[in-house]
Amino acid sequence: MRPEPLASFCGFEDELRRTGGRDSVELLVRIRSCESGVSTLYVARVDDGRPAYAQWLIRPREQERLHEHAPGSYEVLRYDEVLLEGAYTFGEFRRLGLMADGMAQLLRYALAEGFRSAITYVATTNVASLRGCAACGFEPDHVRVSERRLGRRHSRPDSLSPQARAAWAEAVGP
């Protein structure tokens, strides 16, 4: 995993030309994040240079662009925490455990820089991503409740319900 200059990264656009369905929406969100200057995007590449996995590691000093890009969607990061967001495993590299490995690398970078806490958000229906998060040590702490008002998304943290705990246990269980 290495930081990638947003202006020159075209991996999401290339993937969009090769894929369809649900991935298209996910890719468009990531393309827009790149265009908005949300940094820092890290990318794992295979030997021939193709991107295999990408994810943002957002530090407190970098969060201003994120809040401009997605107002009301994220809490303000504390001085000692980071946000891992926008994880994407490119189609031909899925089911190889890249997410857990990539996230673990990003967490090591953050720890080496002195950060003590990391946040990531995953839909409760995304079992593969929940398993990837669990594999590198994440545990549920809270849920993010999102609502749309006047075309804008607003999110707020909420405590874990018994249903959310059960969904986590089911997703990451054997």
Side-chain angles (χ1 to χ4, degrees), residues 1 3 38-42 54-63 77 81-86 102-103 105-111 113 115 117-119:
M1 296 290 291
V38 176
S39 63
T40 300
L41 178 65
Y42 284 76
Q55 187 167 24
W56 276 266
L57 170 59
I58 301 169
R59 297 156 182 89
R61 68 181 178 272
E62 301 165 333
Q63 68 182 320
L77 294 172
E81 67 187 3
V82 295
L83 174 68
L84 276 65
E85 187 61 22
M103 287 183 86
Q105 288 182 51
L106 296 180
L107 291 169
R108 285 193 295 275
Y109 292 153
L111 186 60
E113 293 175 29
F115 295 100
S117 181
I119 299 169

Side-chain angles (χ1 to χ4, degrees), residues 53 55-60 63 66-67 73-87 99 103 106-107 110 115-122 133 136-144 155-158:
Y53 178 77
Q55 187 167 24
W56 276 266
L57 170 59
I58 301 169
R59 297 156 182 89
Q63 68 182 320
L66 175 69
H67 294 299
S73 294
Y74 298 96
E75 295 293 307
V76 173
L77 294 172
R78 295 186 325 245
Y79 74 95
D80 65 342
E81 67 187 3
V82 295
L83 174 68
L84 276 65
E85 187 61 22
M99 179 186 178
M103 287 183 86
L106 296 180
L107 291 169
F115 295 100
R116 297 289 171 239
S117 181
I119 299 169
T120 192
Y121 293 102
V122 179
C133 290
C136 59
F138 278 98
E139 294 182 9
D141 176 77
H142 65 276
V143 294
R144 188 171 76 181
S155 295
R156 63 178 169 75
D158 200 1

Side-chain angles (χ1 to χ4, degrees), residues 20-172:
R22 182 173 180 263
D23 276 354
S24 296
V25 173
E26 296 295 325
L27 288 161
L28 290 170
V29 167
R30 284 155 184 80
I31 290 166
R32 189 161 179 271
S33 293
C34 287
E35 292 170 349
S36 297
V38 176
S39 63
T40 300
L41 178 65
Y42 284 76
V43 177
R45 294 181 177 273
V46 293
D47 290 341
D48 66 7
R50 289 174 296 148
Y53 178 77
Q55 187 167 24
W56 276 266
L57 170 59
I58 301 169
R59 297 156 182 89
R61 68 181 178 272
E62 301 165 333
Q63 68 182 320
E64 184 178 330
R65 287 276 190 190
L66 175 69
H67 294 299
E68 290 171 358
H69 168 65
S73 294
Y74 298 96
E75 295 293 307
V76 173
L77 294 172
R78 295 186 325 245
Y79 74 95
D80 65 342
E81 67 187 3
V82 295
L83 174 68
L84 276 65
E85 187 61 22
Y88 188 83
T89 304
F90 290 80
E92 66 183 293
F93 302 104
R94 293 187 179 160
R95 298 181 182 259
L96 300 175
L98 296 183
M99 179 186 178
D101 183 64
M103 287 183 86
Q105 288 182 51
L106 296 180
L107 291 169
R108 285 193 295 275
Y109 292 153
L111 186 60
E113 293 175 29
F115 295 100
R116 297 289 171 239
S117 181
I119 299 169
T120 192
Y121 293 102
V122 179
T124 57
T125 56
N126 190 338
V127 174
S129 291
L130 291 172
R131 287 181 188 258
C133 290
C136 59
F138 278 98
E139 294 182 9
D141 176 77
H142 65 276
V143 294
R144 188 171 76 181
V145 178
S146 295
E147 301 167 333
R148 288 213 179 263
R149 289 186 216 133
L150 301 173
R152 296 204 97 159
R153 186 172 92 176
H154 297 277
S155 295
R156 63 178 169 75
D158 200 1
S159 60
L160 286 173
S161 67
Q163 295 85 356
R165 287 184 194 280
W168 171 263
E170 184 179 338
V172 302

